[in-house]
Amino acid sequence: MLKDTLIRTAATFAVVAGLAVASLATARAADEPNGDPVQAQLDHGKATYAEKCSHCHGPGMMNSGTITPDLRAFPDDKMRFVTTVKNGKNNKMPPWGDILSEDEITDLWAYISSRRRP
């Protein structure tokens, strides 16, 4: 009996969590006039980059003459990117984990990934 209740509770939680994620995606898609959630994510990432990152990394994701890397050449490694953004790097890049939300970091990754040089 307890096992069945736990299974039903877990299933209900999974459904509610799924609906919450779908609702968030729908809300974010609504930010984009044409309802394209991918474009909305890129737009959010671009805006966050312009506001929070471009002063060090440059408006075009590179800032020659500084110690910042060319982000267009950042490896296709989301985990490394997220860790670097959240925790900072070598006492030169400050940690942004307490400033940027998970969604903002995900949007930044989408935007930077979309601008990667081959």
Side-chain angles (χ1 to χ4, degrees):
M1 183 77 169
L2 178 61
K3 182 178 176 182
D4 291 338
T5 302
L6 289 174
I7 290 171
R8 279 193 300 271
T9 302
T12 301
F13 179 76
V15 169
V16 170
L19 290 173
V21 169
S23 174
L24 179 61
T26 301
R28 293 186 70 187
D31 289 343
E32 184 60 29
N34 65 9
D36 181 354
V38 173
Q39 187 59 53
Q41 185 178 41
L42 294 173
D43 292 345
H44 285 264
K46 182 178 182 177
T48 301
Y49 180 87
E51 181 183 343
K52 306 287 188 188
C53 311
S54 65
H55 62 280
C56 289
H57 289 281
M61 293 191 197
M62 63 171 217
N63 198 355
S64 59
T66 69
I67 60 169
T68 60
D70 181 347
L71 292 179
R72 299 170 305 165
F74 195 90
D76 189 13
D77 185 345
K78 183 179 180 181
M79 183 176 285
R80 177 179 164 191
F81 176 81
V82 170
T83 299
T84 300
V85 170
K86 285 183 175 183
N87 300 327
K89 181 97 175 175
N90 300 328
N91 292 324
K92 294 176 181 159
M93 178 177 161
W96 289 88
D98 291 337
I99 299 167
L100 298 175
S101 70
E102 293 290 328
D103 283 342
E104 288 172 313
I105 294 171
T106 297
D107 294 348
L108 272 172
W109 173 248
Y111 174 65
I112 289 170
S113 294
S114 75
R115 304 280 312 263
R116 185 176 293 113
R117 287 188 306 180

Coordinates of all heavy atoms in Angstrom, one line a residue, residues 45-85:
G45 N 20.2 35.3 -24.4 CA 21.7 35.1 -24.2 C 22.5 36.3 -24.7 O 23.4 36.7 -24.1
K46 N 22.1 36.8 -25.9 CA 22.7 37.9 -26.5 C 22.6 39.2 -25.6 O 23.6 39.9 -25.4 CB 22.1 38.2 -27.9 CG 22.8 39.4 -28.6 CD 22.2 39.5 -30.0 CE 22.9 40.6 -30.7 NZ 22.4 40.8 -32.1
A47 N 21.4 39.4 -25.0 CA 21.2 40.5 -24.2 C 22.0 40.4 -22.9 O 22.6 41.3 -22.4 CB 19.7 40.6 -23.8
T48 N 22.0 39.2 -22.3 CA 22.8 39.0 -21.1 C 24.3 39.2 -21.4 O 25.0 39.8 -20.6 CB 22.5 37.6 -20.5 OG1 21.1 37.4 -20.2 CG2 23.3 37.3 -19.2
Y49 N 24.7 38.6 -22.5 CA 26.1 38.8 -22.9 C 26.5 40.3 -23.0 O 27.5 40.8 -22.5 CB 26.4 38.1 -24.2 CG 27.9 38.3 -24.6 CD1 28.9 37.4 -24.2 CD2 28.3 39.4 -25.4 CE1 30.2 37.6 -24.5 CE2 29.6 39.6 -25.7 CZ 30.5 38.7 -25.3 OH 31.9 38.9 -25.6
A50 N 25.6 41.1 -23.7 CA 25.9 42.5 -23.9 C 26.0 43.2 -22.5 O 26.8 44.1 -22.3 CB 24.8 43.1 -24.8
E51 N 25.1 42.8 -21.6 CA 25.0 43.5 -20.3 C 26.1 43.1 -19.4 O 26.7 43.9 -18.7 CB 23.7 43.3 -19.7 CG 23.5 44.0 -18.3 CD 22.2 43.6 -17.7 OE1 21.2 43.1 -18.4 OE2 22.1 43.9 -16.5
K52 N 26.4 41.8 -19.3 CA 27.3 41.3 -18.3 C 28.7 40.9 -18.7 O 29.6 40.8 -17.9 CB 26.6 40.0 -17.6 CG 25.3 40.3 -17.1 CD 25.2 41.1 -15.8 CE 23.8 41.1 -15.2 NZ 23.7 42.0 -14.2
C53 N 28.9 40.6 -20.0 CA 30.1 39.9 -20.5 C 30.9 40.8 -21.4 O 32.2 40.7 -21.5 CB 29.8 38.6 -21.1 SG 28.7 37.5 -20.2
S54 N 30.3 41.6 -22.2 CA 30.9 42.3 -23.3 C 32.0 43.3 -22.9 O 32.9 43.6 -23.6 CB 29.9 43.0 -24.3 OG 29.3 44.0 -23.6
H55 N 31.9 43.8 -21.7 CA 32.8 44.8 -21.2 C 34.2 44.2 -21.1 O 35.2 44.9 -21.2 CB 32.4 45.5 -20.0 CG 32.2 44.6 -18.8 ND1 31.1 43.9 -18.6 CD2 33.0 44.4 -17.7 CE1 31.2 43.2 -17.5 NE2 32.4 43.5 -16.9
C56 N 34.3 42.9 -20.8 CA 35.6 42.2 -20.7 C 35.9 41.4 -22.0 O 37.1 41.4 -22.4 CB 35.7 41.3 -19.5 SG 35.7 42.1 -17.9
H57 N 34.9 40.7 -22.5 CA 35.1 39.8 -23.6 C 34.9 40.4 -24.9 O 35.2 39.8 -26.0 CB 34.2 38.6 -23.5 CG 34.6 37.6 -22.3 ND1 35.7 36.8 -22.5 CD2 34.1 37.5 -21.1 CE1 35.8 36.1 -21.3 NE2 34.9 36.5 -20.5
G58 N 34.5 41.7 -25.0 CA 34.3 42.4 -26.2 C 32.9 42.2 -26.8 O 32.3 41.1 -26.6
P59 N 32.5 43.1 -27.6 CA 31.1 43.0 -28.2 C 31.0 41.9 -29.2 O 29.9 41.4 -29.4 CB 30.9 44.4 -28.8 CG 32.2 45.0 -28.9 CD 33.1 44.4 -27.9
G60 N 32.1 41.5 -29.8 CA 32.1 40.4 -30.8 C 32.7 39.1 -30.2 O 33.1 38.3 -31.0
M61 N 32.7 39.0 -28.9 CA 33.2 37.8 -28.2 C 34.7 37.7 -28.2 O 35.3 36.6 -27.9 CB 32.6 36.5 -28.7 CG 31.1 36.5 -28.4 SD 30.5 34.8 -28.6 CE 28.8 35.2 -28.7
M62 N 35.4 38.7 -28.7 CA 36.9 38.8 -28.6 C 37.3 40.2 -28.3 O 36.6 41.1 -28.7 CB 37.5 38.3 -29.9 CG 37.2 39.1 -31.1 SD 38.3 38.5 -32.4 CE 38.7 40.1 -33.2
N63 N 38.3 40.3 -27.5 CA 38.8 41.6 -27.1 C 40.3 41.6 -27.1 O 41.0 41.2 -26.2 CB 38.3 41.9 -25.6 CG 38.4 43.4 -25.3 OD1 38.9 44.2 -26.1 ND2 37.9 43.7 -24.1
S64 N 40.8 41.8 -28.3 CA 42.3 41.7 -28.5 C 43.0 42.7 -27.6 O 42.5 43.7 -27.2 CB 42.6 42.0 -30.0 OG 42.2 43.3 -30.3
G65 N 44.2 42.2 -27.2 CA 45.0 43.0 -26.3 C 44.7 42.8 -24.8 O 45.3 43.5 -24.0
T66 N 43.8 41.9 -24.5 CA 43.5 41.6 -23.1 C 43.7 40.2 -22.8 O 44.1 39.4 -23.7 CB 42.0 41.9 -22.8 OG1 41.2 41.0 -23.4 CG2 41.6 43.3 -23.2
I67 N 43.5 39.8 -21.6 CA 43.7 38.4 -21.2 C 42.5 37.5 -21.4 O 42.6 36.3 -21.3 CB 44.1 38.3 -19.7 CG1 43.0 38.9 -18.8 CG2 45.5 39.0 -19.4 CD1 43.2 38.6 -17.3
T68 N 41.4 38.1 -21.9 CA 40.2 37.3 -22.1 C 40.3 36.5 -23.4 O 40.8 37.0 -24.4 CB 39.0 38.3 -22.1 OG1 39.1 39.2 -23.2 CG2 38.8 39.0 -20.8
P69 N 39.8 35.3 -23.3 CA 39.9 34.5 -24.5 C 38.8 34.9 -25.5 O 37.8 35.5 -25.2 CB 39.6 33.1 -24.0 CG 38.7 33.3 -22.8 CD 39.2 34.6 -22.2
D70 N 39.1 34.4 -26.8 CA 38.1 34.6 -27.9 C 37.0 33.6 -27.6 O 37.3 32.4 -27.8 CB 38.9 34.3 -29.2 CG 38.0 34.5 -30.4 OD1 36.7 34.6 -30.2 OD2 38.5 34.5 -31.5
L71 N 35.9 34.0 -27.2 CA 34.8 33.1 -26.9 C 34.2 32.4 -28.1 O 33.6 31.3 -28.0 CB 33.7 33.8 -26.1 CG 34.1 34.3 -24.7 CD1 32.9 35.0 -24.1 CD2 34.5 33.1 -23.8
R72 N 34.5 32.9 -29.3 CA 34.1 32.2 -30.5 C 34.8 30.9 -30.6 O 34.4 30.0 -31.4 CB 34.3 33.0 -31.7 CG 33.5 34.3 -31.7 CD 33.9 35.3 -32.8 NE 35.4 35.5 -32.7 CZ 36.1 36.0 -33.7 NH1 35.6 36.4 -34.8 NH2 37.4 36.1 -33.5
A73 N 36.0 30.7 -30.0 CA 36.8 29.5 -30.0 C 36.6 28.7 -28.8 O 37.4 27.7 -28.6 CB 38.3 29.9 -30.2
F74 N 35.7 29.0 -27.9 CA 35.5 28.2 -26.7 C 35.1 26.8 -27.1 O 34.2 26.6 -28.0 CB 34.4 28.8 -25.8 CG 34.4 28.3 -24.4 CD1 35.2 28.9 -23.4 CD2 33.6 27.2 -24.1 CE1 35.2 28.4 -22.1 CE2 33.6 26.7 -22.8 CZ 34.4 27.3 -21.8
P75 N 35.7 25.8 -26.5 CA 35.3 24.4 -26.8 C 33.9 24.1 -26.7 O 33.2 24.7 -25.9 CB 36.2 23.6 -25.9 CG 37.1 24.5 -25.2 CD 36.6 25.9 -25.4
D76 N 33.4 23.1 -27.4 CA 32.0 22.7 -27.3 C 31.9 21.8 -26.0 O 31.7 20.6 -26.1 CB 31.6 21.9 -28.5 CG 30.1 21.6 -28.5 OD1 29.4 22.2 -27.8 OD2 29.7 20.7 -29.4
D77 N 31.9 22.5 -24.9 CA 31.9 21.8 -23.6 C 31.1 22.7 -22.6 O 31.6 23.6 -21.9 CB 33.4 21.7 -23.0 CG 33.5 20.9 -21.8 OD1 32.5 20.7 -21.1 OD2 34.7 20.6 -21.4
K78 N 29.8 22.4 -22.6 CA 28.9 23.2 -21.8 C 29.2 23.1 -20.3 O 29.1 24.1 -19.6 CB 27.4 22.7 -22.0 CG 26.4 23.5 -21.2 CD 25.0 23.0 -21.5 CE 24.0 23.9 -20.7 NZ 22.6 23.5 -20.9
M79 N 29.6 21.9 -19.8 CA 29.9 21.8 -18.4 C 31.1 22.7 -18.0 O 31.0 23.4 -17.0 CB 30.2 20.3 -18.0 CG 30.5 20.2 -16.5 SD 30.7 18.5 -16.1 CE 29.1 17.9 -16.2
R80 N 32.1 22.7 -18.8 CA 33.2 23.6 -18.6 C 32.8 25.1 -18.6 O 33.2 25.9 -17.7 CB 34.3 23.4 -19.6 CG 35.5 24.3 -19.5 CD 36.6 24.0 -20.5 NE 37.5 25.0 -20.6 CZ 38.4 25.1 -21.5 NH1 38.5 24.2 -22.5 NH2 39.2 26.1 -21.6
F81 N 32.0 25.4 -19.5 CA 31.5 26.8 -19.6 C 30.7 27.2 -18.4 O 30.9 28.2 -17.8 CB 30.6 27.0 -20.9 CG 29.9 28.3 -21.0 CD1 30.7 29.4 -21.5 CD2 28.6 28.5 -20.6 CE1 30.1 30.6 -21.6 CE2 28.1 29.8 -20.7 CZ 28.8 30.8 -21.2
V82 N 29.7 26.4 -18.0 CA 28.9 26.6 -16.8 C 29.8 26.7 -15.6 O 29.6 27.7 -14.7 CB 27.8 25.6 -16.7 CG1 27.1 25.7 -15.3 CG2 26.8 25.7 -17.8
T83 N 30.7 25.8 -15.4 CA 31.6 25.9 -14.2 C 32.4 27.2 -14.2 O 32.5 27.8 -13.1 CB 32.5 24.6 -14.2 OG1 31.7 23.5 -14.2 CG2 33.5 24.7 -13.0
T84 N 32.9 27.5 -15.3 CA 33.7 28.8 -15.4 C 32.9 30.0 -15.1 O 33.3 30.9 -14.3 CB 34.4 28.9 -16.8 OG1 35.2 27.8 -17.0 CG2 35.2 30.2 -16.9
V85 N 31.7 30.1 -15.7 CA 30.8 31.2 -15.4 C 30.4 31.3 -13.9 O 30.5 32.3 -13.3 CB 29.6 31.2 -16.3 CG1 28.6 32.2 -15.9 CG2 30.0 31.4 -17.8

